[in-house]
Amino acid sequence: MVGRMPKGFRALSVGGGERGQATVEAAVLIPVLFVALLLLLQPGILLYDRMVMQGAAAEGCRLLATKTEALGDMDGSCEAFVRHRLGAVPPLDCFHVHRGGCSWDIELVGDEGSQTVSVTVGTDVRPLPLLDAGAALLGMTDAAGNLHVEATTSTPTQPAWVDGTETGRDPARWIGAWLR
């Protein structure tokens, strides 16, 4: 007999004849959840890249503010220091595209004799699947299909209170207070 349950067994159905409804809902919901996760993952990757790049640029500015010509050419060591800080970014194309080795774009401007120092760090990032087509349609990618991410930090080499312009005090006055 088809359709009859043995005595003592009950069919578990919610709402009458809607058996298999959860399977259909899951078949629709799971791809939607994966697409939503994918849409949240790319901004998270870009935010992580930008935070690491901003931190490395800030550390580079602190180092540049103390760079003197008396120690010789420190540009190479300053750049190596910034590259070391950028090592926190994974070597995957969705985080940082490598072009024949480590290809960070690092620009160092200034030294301790300058009013301000500036460090700019840039890289290319390959968008995740599905998002690369959207980024290309919006014109956000270059010819290779990559996004360009850049972080710049600029800071004065001396705080404003040192030269007395902010407080209106003469530096010789507060230096003289120590010598008394």
Side-chain angles (χ1 to χ4, degrees), residues 74-86:
M74 288 183 52
D75 285 338
S77 59
C78 289
E79 186 173 330
F81 178 78
V82 172
R83 283 186 191 280
H84 177 72
R85 294 289 184 215
L86 293 170

Side-chain angles (χ1 to χ4, degrees), residues 32-120:
V32 170
L33 287 176
F34 279 135
V35 169
L37 179 67
L38 182 68
L39 290 174
L40 292 176
L41 193 61
Q42 184 74 52
I45 289 172
L46 293 175
L47 179 64
Y48 176 76
D49 278 356
R50 186 145 173 82
M51 285 179 7
V52 171
M53 291 165 59
Q54 196 75 35
E59 296 268 339
C61 280
R62 288 187 204 105
L63 186 62
L64 278 178
T66 61
K67 178 180 117 175
T68 63
E69 295 303 322
L71 295 175
D73 184 26
M74 288 183 52
D75 285 338
S77 59
C78 289
E79 186 173 330
F81 178 78
V82 172
R83 283 186 191 280
H84 177 72
R85 294 289 184 215
L86 293 170
V89 175
L92 302 171
D93 284 350
C94 62
F95 284 92
H96 165 64
V97 175
H98 289 269
R99 293 180 298 265
C102 192
S103 58
W104 292 99
D105 302 323
I106 300 172
E107 181 183 344
L108 308 168
V109 178
D111 60 10
E112 74 173 356
S114 306
Q115 290 290 331
T116 60
V117 291
S118 174
V119 176
T120 302

